[in-house]
Amino acid sequence: SAANAPEDDAPNRYSRTDRATYSRYSRDANSSGSSLPSNTLEKRVEELERELAKERQENARLMKMTQDKEELIGKLKEEIDLLNR
């Protein structure tokens, strides 16, 4: 889990930057007659960011499970080799 910490930190940095950029864009779009208010777009962006964070957590959990299974497979292969000798 400690190995995933640097990865988790970088997307959070980018999402703040993206959010600021998107907020500026949505304000500009509203001033030119966009049909959606900027607060609606900002809420949608925040909702998508929360969903993305959940998906990243799930991905990290699945990656950890995969690593654990691969370690177990390696240990079992070693045991099989020892038993075969």
Side-chain angles (χ1 to χ4, degrees):
S1 162
N4 292 333
E7 273 182 29
D8 292 343
D9 198 28
N12 289 335
R13 252 194 335 269
Y14 294 127
S15 65
R16 275 187 239 113
T17 304
D18 291 345
R19 187 182 325 131
T21 303
Y22 197 84
S23 294
R24 279 195 300 272
Y25 172 77
S26 62
R27 280 194 299 270
D28 294 344
N30 280 336
S31 64
S32 64
S34 174
S35 61
L36 287 175
S38 66
N39 63 347
T40 303
L41 292 174
E42 288 172 7
K43 285 179 185 177
R44 180 68 178 141
V45 168
E46 288 173 9
E47 178 184 314
L48 290 172
E49 286 175 345
R50 282 192 299 272
E51 189 176 325
L52 180 60
K54 287 179 189 175
E55 292 297 327
R56 283 192 172 127
Q57 282 181 333
E58 176 68 4
N59 189 37
R61 187 183 70 79
L62 292 172
M63 291 293 289
K64 172 96 173 79
M65 283 177 53
T66 300
Q67 289 172 343
D68 291 347
K69 301 262 188 215
E70 287 175 357
E71 281 180 30
L72 179 60
I73 288 170
K75 289 177 184 176
L76 291 172
K77 282 182 180 180
E78 289 175 13
E79 192 172 331
I80 288 170
D81 286 344
L82 285 174
L83 291 171
N84 284 334
R85 289 181 195 162

